[in-house]
């Protein structure tokens, strides 16, 4: 049996976290999903420090932009600063559809930028696409 | 008293037979209209100014036909005008004639009437000459500025202008006087009362030709109250728009949770509980979805004002082609025909123009009758605006709903028959308001509806 794929979900809205987790878990793949609720905690998790000493290095980060404490942009900058994390794929999943946020997201090194759809079916579809694309289609290092 | 003898000797105008000739000579050189009338009341002698005044030869004409009343003159062509007349008995030989001097009061009467009109005007009126000296004010102007008219006439106009604005005001007035064109309404002007307080004014200027050069007539309205109301309206409109935006934007997030989880509930537990639970779930999902639609529509509406782009030349034909493409699936599904005439380039926000056409063409197809929809789009220059007509052969709109049709979330049909929340025409109207145009419709039930709207043409570069 292959090791489960580790996903770090950075999402302050517990509802969205639950929807994402629920959809991912309903898929065929075996996933190990971790949820953190703010930017500071996300950075601790990724750098394996504070309460997250010994945390696993995720295979994929799903990142919201508007987060308490340190926002998604800072988390993204932090990820791209560390050699060990530089190649980790980051998917921005946010409610913002502002051009400025999209451009900045890519500039900071996001691998893709997705606006949360309003509709549940569309949301589930997108989460499943993320799963399929990153874990079955692309080859990761 | 007139005495034609020279030198004058007596008080009664007694002349010899040749005195008549002397009278004729005097009349001929007099610059005022003068006449000699005989005992029968007929005119025997009239000087050139008199003939000019009455418009024709007067010899033998009854005096009463040219001066039918004490203050009335009647020209030979029958037109009447105000006069003053003076009559003097005149003895020539043994006859007693009458010498009449007539003064044309047309101009004086006009002047008098002008005074009456100015005095009775509902606005404060100040008349100034080219040197910006106040020549005339009316009662309302006295009240408005707190001066008696004696304190204003003959004084410089600057008296009524706040000190801080005097230089600029002098330039402005000079500019208008120089061009002598009627100035519409100047905005953001201020006046100074006798007590030194200021007030915002609206001033309409019109030049008035007069004997002593062009005078400027200023009709002045104190707009303190109107300005306050306008400011308040602007503020409350902006607040309302902001409120609509924030409400709709921030409502989306929690609403998305409600909708998503009721739907998830439906996905997971539909038909796993009892029938009643299924019904509850259905109503919850349906309500949440409807509210999502309303909130999204409200957001779209508030974005017309808050996120519009500046108006620029936009070819309407290209926009309509794009919209027809977007609506392609609907057009094919309903077998609709979209007949687009030659459309002009107009001054618009292209995104909003697209939305406008999408709403109108979409409606034209949505509210179709039994026949396949035929939508005709035409434009024509009316006065200085382009008028667009989007005509359909649909079910038509009952005239009694004319007022409701553009109101937010007003639907004329029961839910389920036609989808949509009733925001489309509200947005259309809002878009046109932003573009300085208007929208209205003509319709016949069962025959079709034509929506008309106007847009500004692209200004001529010359």
């Amino acid at each position: 049996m292959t090791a489960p794929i580790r996903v770090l979900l950075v999402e302050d809205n517990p509802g969205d976290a639950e929807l994402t987790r629920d959809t991912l878990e309903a898929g065929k793949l075996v996933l190990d999903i971790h949820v953190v609720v703010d930017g500071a905690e996300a950075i601790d998790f990724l750098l394996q420090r504070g309460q997250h000493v010994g945390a696993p290095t995720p295979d994929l980060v799903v990142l919201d932009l508007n987060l308490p404490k340190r926002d998604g942009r800072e988390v993204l900058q932090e990820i791209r600063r560390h050699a060990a994390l530089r190649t980790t794929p980051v998917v921005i999943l946010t409610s913002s559809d502002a051009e400025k946020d999209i451009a900045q997201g890519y500039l900071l090194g996001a691998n893709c930028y997705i606006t949360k759809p309003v509709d549940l079916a569309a949301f589930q579809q997108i989460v499943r696409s993320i799963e399929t694309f990153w874990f079955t289609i692309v080859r990761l290092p | 008293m007139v005495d034609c003898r020279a030198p004058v000797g007596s008080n009664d105008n007694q002349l010899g037979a040749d005195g008549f000739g002397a009278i004729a000579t005097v009349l001929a050189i007099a610059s005022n209209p003068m006449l000699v009338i005989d005992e029968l009341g007929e005119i025997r002698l009239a000087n050139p100014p008199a003939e000019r005044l009455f418009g024709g030869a007067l010899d033998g004409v009854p005096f009463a036909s040219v001066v039918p009343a004490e203050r009335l003159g009647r020209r030979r062509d029958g037109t009447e005008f105000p006069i003053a007349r003076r009559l003097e008995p005149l003895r020539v030989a043994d006859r007693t004639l009458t010498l009449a001097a007539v003064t044309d009061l047309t101009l004086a009467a006009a002047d008098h009437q002008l005074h009456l009109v100015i005095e009775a005007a509902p606005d404060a009126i100040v008349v100034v000459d080219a040197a910006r000296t106040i020549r005339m004010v009316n009662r309302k102007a006295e009240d408005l500025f707190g001066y008696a008219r004696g304190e204003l006439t003959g004084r410089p106009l600057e008296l009524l202008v706040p000190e801080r604005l005097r230089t600029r005001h002098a330039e402005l007035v000079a500019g208008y006087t120089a061009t002598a064109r009627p100035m519409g309404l100047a905005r953001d002007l201020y006046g100074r009362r006798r007590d030194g307080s200021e007030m915002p004014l609206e001033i309409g200027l019109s030049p008035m030709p007069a004997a002593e050069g062009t005078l400027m007539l200023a009709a002045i309205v104190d707009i303190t109250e109107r300005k306050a109301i306008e400011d308040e309206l602007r503020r409350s409109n902006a607040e309302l728009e902001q409120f609509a935006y924030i409400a709709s934007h921030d409502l989306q997030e929690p609403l998305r949770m409600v909708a998503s989880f009721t739907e998830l509930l439906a996905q997971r537990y539909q038909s796993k509980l009892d029938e009643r639970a299924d019904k509850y779930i259905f109503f919850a999902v349906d309500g949440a979805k409807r509210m999502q639609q309303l909130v999204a529509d409200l957001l779209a509406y508030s974005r017309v004002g808050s996120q519009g782009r500046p108006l620029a030349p936009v070819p309407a034909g290209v926009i309509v082609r794009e919209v027809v493409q977007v609506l392609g699936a609907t057009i094919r599904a309903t077998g609709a025909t979209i007949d687009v005439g030659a459309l002009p380039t107009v001054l618009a926000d292209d995104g909003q123009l697209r939305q406008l056409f999408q709403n109108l063409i979409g409606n034209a197809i949505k509210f179709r009758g039994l026949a396949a929809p035929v939508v005709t789009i035409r434009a024509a220059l009316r006065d200085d605006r382009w008028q667009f007509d989007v005509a359909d052969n649909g079910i038509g709109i009952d005239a009694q709903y004319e007022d409701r049709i553009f109101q937010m979330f007003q639907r004329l049909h029961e839910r389920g028959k036609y989808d949509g929340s009733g925001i489309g025409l509200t947005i259309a109207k809002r878009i046109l308001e932003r573009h300085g145009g208007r929208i209205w419709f003509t319709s016949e039930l069962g025959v079709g509806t034509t929506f008309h709207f106007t847009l500004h043409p692209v200004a001529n570069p010359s």
Side-chain angles (χ1 to χ4, degrees):
Chain A
M1 181 173 160
T2 52
I5 298 163
R6 286 182 293 262
V7 177
L8 175 63
L9 185 58
V10 190
E11 173 61 77
D12 66 316
N13 180 341
D16 273 335
E18 183 56 34
L19 282 179
T20 310
R21 178 202 283 278
D22 182 276
T23 311
L24 287 173
E25 282 174 349
K28 293 180 206 68
L29 297 169
V30 184
L31 301 177
D32 177 15
I33 303 165
H34 299 263
V35 180
V36 294
V37 296
D38 65 58
E41 198 192 343
I43 291 169
D44 282 351
F45 187 99
L46 289 161
L47 300 182
Q48 303 169 340
R49 64 186 191 193
Q51 56 166 320
H52 292 291
V53 171
T57 301
D59 298 305
L60 178 77
V61 178
V62 177
L63 182 65
D64 192 3
L65 277 188
N66 299 315
L67 296 167
K69 293 182 187 166
R70 303 183 68 181
D71 73 10
R73 298 160 195 86
E74 292 176 75
V75 176
L76 194 50
Q77 273 173 313
E78 199 66 34
I79 291 172
R80 294 303 178 230
R81 271 228 313 264
H82 292 86
L85 298 170
R86 199 162 290 156
T87 54
T88 307
V90 176
V91 174
I92 294 179
L93 183 61
T94 177
S95 52
S96 165
D97 60 358
E99 295 289 339
K100 185 181 83 194
D101 286 341
I102 298 171
Q104 198 189 16
Y106 283 112
L107 212 59
L108 293 174
N111 296 83
C112 73
Y113 186 109
I114 297 168
T115 302
K116 285 177 194 167
V118 184
D119 182 59
L120 175 70
F123 186 85
Q124 290 172 328
Q125 177 62 41
I126 277 174
V127 172
R128 276 196 294 271
S129 305
I130 293 172
E131 187 181 26
T132 312
F133 183 75
W134 289 104
F135 304 132
T136 64
I137 297 173
V138 301
R139 294 184 56 150
L140 295 172
Chain B
M1 295 288 257
V2 175
D3 193 330
C4 289
R5 276 178 310 187
V8 182
S10 88
N11 227 1
D12 55 348
N13 307 314
Q14 207 155 23
L15 291 172
D18 59 341
F20 203 78
I23 296 170
T25 309
V26 172
L27 256 60
I29 59 168
S31 57
N32 294 341
M34 294 181 96
L35 309 155
V36 175
I37 307 154
D38 67 13
E39 300 86 340
L40 298 172
E42 288 180 357
I43 297 169
R44 284 290 149 234
L45 202 56
N47 67 352
E51 298 198 326
R52 269 201 302 281
L53 180 63
F54 292 105
L58 296 172
D59 205 32
V61 171
F63 180 66
S65 74
V66 290
V67 181
E70 196 181 334
R71 305 188 146 272
L72 190 66
R74 185 184 287 145
R75 295 186 192 88
R76 303 304 289 138
D77 65 8
T79 54
E80 296 182 340
F81 58 101
I83 58 156
R85 65 158 167 70
R86 199 172 147 199
L87 303 176
E88 292 288 341
L90 186 69
R91 277 200 207 133
V92 182
D94 52 349
R95 300 175 65 182
T96 302
L97 305 177
T98 306
L99 179 69
V102 179
T103 310
D104 182 3
L105 291 181
T106 305
L107 284 176
D111 205 40
H112 181 64
Q113 272 171 350
L114 182 68
H115 270 83
L116 287 179
V117 168
I118 287 178
E119 200 52 41
D123 297 341
I125 287 179
V126 174
V127 179
V128 293
D129 61 21
R132 295 202 307 279
T133 302
I134 299 170
R135 300 291 293 272
M136 195 194 300
V137 298
N138 67 356
R139 163 111 219 135
K140 290 270 186 187
E142 288 182 293
D143 295 345
L144 181 61
F145 290 99
Y147 287 98
R149 84 184 54 198
E151 296 173 293
L152 288 174
T153 42
R155 303 290 308 279
L157 176 60
E158 273 61 39
L159 193 64
L160 304 179
V161 180
E163 270 165 68
R164 61 188 175 92
L165 299 174
R166 280 181 192 171
T167 318
R168 205 177 82 86
H169 182 264
E171 288 164 8
L172 271 180
V173 173
Y176 291 124
T177 314
T179 54
R181 67 190 154 88
M183 169 198 158
L185 298 170
R187 286 242 154 214
D188 289 329
L189 298 170
Y190 290 85
R192 182 181 178 278
R193 295 192 194 88
R194 191 169 198 252
D195 62 12
S197 60
E198 290 183 15
M199 64 201 142
L201 300 176
E202 190 175 79
I203 303 179
L205 288 180
S206 24
M208 194 170 69
E212 59 271 51
T214 300
L215 299 178
M216 195 60 81
L217 186 147
I220 304 167
V221 183
D222 179 356
I223 54 169
T224 307
E225 210 166 305
R226 194 203 307 171
K227 235 182 152 64
I229 291 169
E230 276 174 3
D231 287 349
E232 175 61 23
L233 194 65
R234 231 191 319 276
R235 200 186 55 72
S236 80
N237 267 345
E239 214 166 67
L240 200 64
E241 202 156 275
Q242 184 68 7
F243 171 77
Y245 181 77
I246 290 174
S248 46
H249 186 265
D250 291 6
L251 278 175
Q252 270 190 327
E253 189 55 27
L255 194 53
R256 195 165 58 83
M257 290 297 107
V258 175
S260 295
F261 281 97
T262 47
E263 267 187 88
L264 198 57
L265 200 62
Q267 278 180 10
R268 293 290 153 76
Y269 300 101
Q270 191 92 54
S271 68
K272 282 183 188 157
L273 306 169
D274 60 12
E275 210 172 289
R276 182 172 288 180
D278 283 357
K279 204 157 72 185
Y280 292 174
I281 290 171
F282 168 80
F283 283 127
V285 170
D286 184 58
K289 287 203 146 179
R290 275 217 314 269
M291 186 154 168
Q292 272 188 316
Q293 187 60 53
L294 291 176
V295 167
D297 288 345
L298 201 58
L299 193 59
Y301 177 79
S302 73
R303 275 181 171 155
V304 172
S306 62
Q307 316 217 335
R309 279 173 297 198
L311 307 188
V314 179
V318 174
I319 298 290
V320 170
R321 260 202 306 282
E322 287 172 11
V323 169
V324 168
Q325 213 156 26
V326 169
L327 294 174
T330 316
I331 291 171
R332 280 189 297 278
T334 55
T337 309
I338 315 288
D339 173 10
V340 186
L343 300 182
T345 293
V346 291
L347 210 53
D349 171 333
D350 61 337
Q352 295 190 347
L353 189 61
R354 200 170 289 119
Q355 192 174 5
L356 176 66
F357 275 114
Q358 193 162 331
N359 289 356
L360 293 181
I361 299 172
N363 275 354
I365 298 175
K366 191 203 290 183
F367 298 103
R368 62 184 174 274
L370 294 172
V374 177
V375 185
T376 313
I377 303 167
R378 295 284 184 269
L381 202 55
R382 299 259 155 88
D383 299 324
D384 55 346
R385 306 280 170 91
W386 282 105
Q387 182 183 318
F388 289 78
D389 300 324
V390 179
D392 66 44
N393 59 340
I395 57 174
I397 303 165
D398 197 330
Q400 61 168 308
Y401 300 122
E402 198 175 333
D403 295 336
R404 278 179 56 189
I405 202 111
F406 291 108
Q407 284 171 23
M408 193 177 289
F409 300 140
Q410 289 289 340
R411 301 159 41 94
L412 300 185
H413 305 276
E414 70 273 22
R415 203 177 300 290
K417 193 162 178 196
Y418 298 98
D419 61 356
S421 61
I423 194 82
L425 289 175
T426 314
I427 288 181
K429 183 159 180 263
R430 185 87 181 80
I431 288 174
L432 284 158
E433 276 166 7
R434 208 192 140 232
H435 283 72
R438 60 188 205 95
I439 183 168
W440 71 102
F441 70 90
T442 44
S443 184
E444 199 178 327
L445 270 180
V447 176
T449 305
T450 303
F451 275 92
H452 315 273
F453 63 88
T454 58
L455 286 170
H456 285 280
V458 178
N460 208 324
S462 62

